[in-house]
Amino acid sequence: MPEPRRSTIDAGEVERFSALAAEWWNPNGKFRPLHKFNPIRLAYIRDQVAARFGRDPRAARPFEGLRFLDIGCGGGLLCEPMARLGAEVVGADASATNIEVARLHAAEVGVTVDYRATTAEDLADAGEKFDVILNMEVVEHVADIDLFVAKCGEMVKPGGIMFVATINRTLKALGLAIIGAEYVLRWLPRGTHQFGKLVRPEELEKALAGAGLAIIDRTGVVYHPLADRWQRSKDMDVNYMVLAEKAPV
């Protein structure tokens, strides 16, 4: 009897985010922290992609000719800005409900994104390839991080790059990102993050190396309550982002 196929999907996580799908584009709703976080993510992606592919970040459509995958795209908060910057964007999510919300919003605002209710393994097994993969706030929600990162790595073209944003597994993160954000401040629904599934930078680096990717940049991201905004920092104890590259042929 053949072994069951390994999966990256955590059904409980998919169900949790599907239940919140209608909230994706409400800046004052359940995903308000993500809307606050989005500008720092967008600026980091724009500047790093422009630097790696020799583009002018101030141009109207600097990503013209580049193919992007936003894996675990949710309602499309990153897909739409990337498409507006000229990229050909595939937005993939295991939740069909999230994808329907993303499609409806893109149609309303007139942005073209190829949204698909699918998984990283199905995309990789179909031979899909991308210049840039956005893997943002996803790895802490998958069932098998090594398989997930490996399948994403398969889809990065030689010389291509992948961004990963996640939360470190530290006591500081437990206090701020889970107890503080979910139970005290109620920024996020309780249960959004599970401490045991948070990912340390060295664990992520090992998974990326196994997928043929090397980290070429890393940054922490911290929230400043007085300014009510996020900014980059050397402090990677809680939120952090890394950029990894697949060597050119």
Side-chain angles (χ1 to χ4, degrees), residues 32 36 187 223-230:
R32 182 175 181 270
K36 287 282 187 185
W187 283 354
Y223 176 70
H224 283 265
L226 293 179
D228 190 25
R229 64 182 173 85
W230 293 84

Side-chain angles (χ1 to χ4, degrees), residues 110-128:
V111 175
T112 300
V113 178
D114 180 3
Y115 282 116
R116 307 183 195 180
T118 188
T119 65
E121 52 265 40
D122 284 345
L123 286 168
D125 292 349
E128 295 280 1

Side-chain angles (χ1 to χ4, degrees), residues 34 37 40-42 44-45 48-49 68-72 78 120 131-142 144-146 148-154 156 160-168 197-209 211-221 232 236 238-246:
L34 205 51
F37 195 44
I40 199 76
R41 300 194 302 174
L42 292 170
Y44 184 65
I45 292 164
Q48 291 289 348
V49 171
F68 277 57
L69 169 65
D70 183 5
I71 188 72
L78 287 174
D131 299 290
V132 180
I133 293 183
L134 307 180
N135 198 327
M136 313 297 275
E137 290 78 43
V138 182
V139 293
E140 70 271 25
H141 298 293
V142 301
D144 186 330
I145 184 172
D146 289 334
F148 179 71
V149 172
K151 288 298 181 181
C152 290
E154 285 180 27
V156 180
I161 55 178
M162 181 160 72
F163 294 85
V164 184
T166 189
I167 302 174
N168 202 341
K197 295 187 75 171
L198 303 185
V199 185
R200 292 181 176 139
E202 59 269 24
E203 295 167 343
L204 180 58
E205 184 167 1
K206 182 180 178 182
L208 288 166
L213 297 160
I215 293 178
I216 53 175
D217 192 73
R218 64 191 79 207
T219 182
V221 188
R232 291 175 58 185
M236 295 175 60
V238 185
N239 294 85
Y240 67 96
M241 298 187 288
V242 304
L243 175 61
E245 180 182 49
K246 181 175 280 188

Side-chain angles (χ1 to χ4, degrees), residues 10-129:
D10 183 322
E13 296 280 16
V14 173
E15 185 178 345
R16 182 178 295 113
F17 283 96
S18 293
L20 299 170
E23 296 277 337
W24 275 110
W25 287 95
N26 179 1
N28 297 309
K30 297 286 176 58
F31 291 104
R32 182 175 181 270
L34 205 51
H35 284 267
K36 287 282 187 185
F37 195 44
N38 227 23
I40 199 76
R41 300 194 302 174
L42 292 170
Y44 184 65
I45 292 164
R46 180 199 63 214
D47 293 346
Q48 291 289 348
V49 171
R52 300 294 160 188
F53 290 95
R55 306 300 178 90
D56 180 358
R58 296 162 297 180
R61 292 173 64 84
F63 296 167
E64 202 84 58
L66 296 177
R67 191 164 193 247
F68 277 57
L69 169 65
D70 183 5
I71 188 72
C73 66
L77 270 61
L78 287 174
C79 293
E80 288 189 16
M82 295 302 108
R84 287 194 176 95
L85 290 171
E88 175 193 340
V89 182
V90 174
D93 200 285
S95 166
T97 310
N98 283 346
I99 289 298
E100 188 58 30
V101 168
R103 282 177 179 152
L104 287 170
H105 192 272
E108 284 175 8
V109 298
V111 175
T112 300
V113 178
D114 180 3
Y115 282 116
R116 307 183 195 180
T118 188
T119 65
E121 52 265 40
D122 284 345
L123 286 168
D125 292 349
E128 295 280 1
K129 300 293 180 185

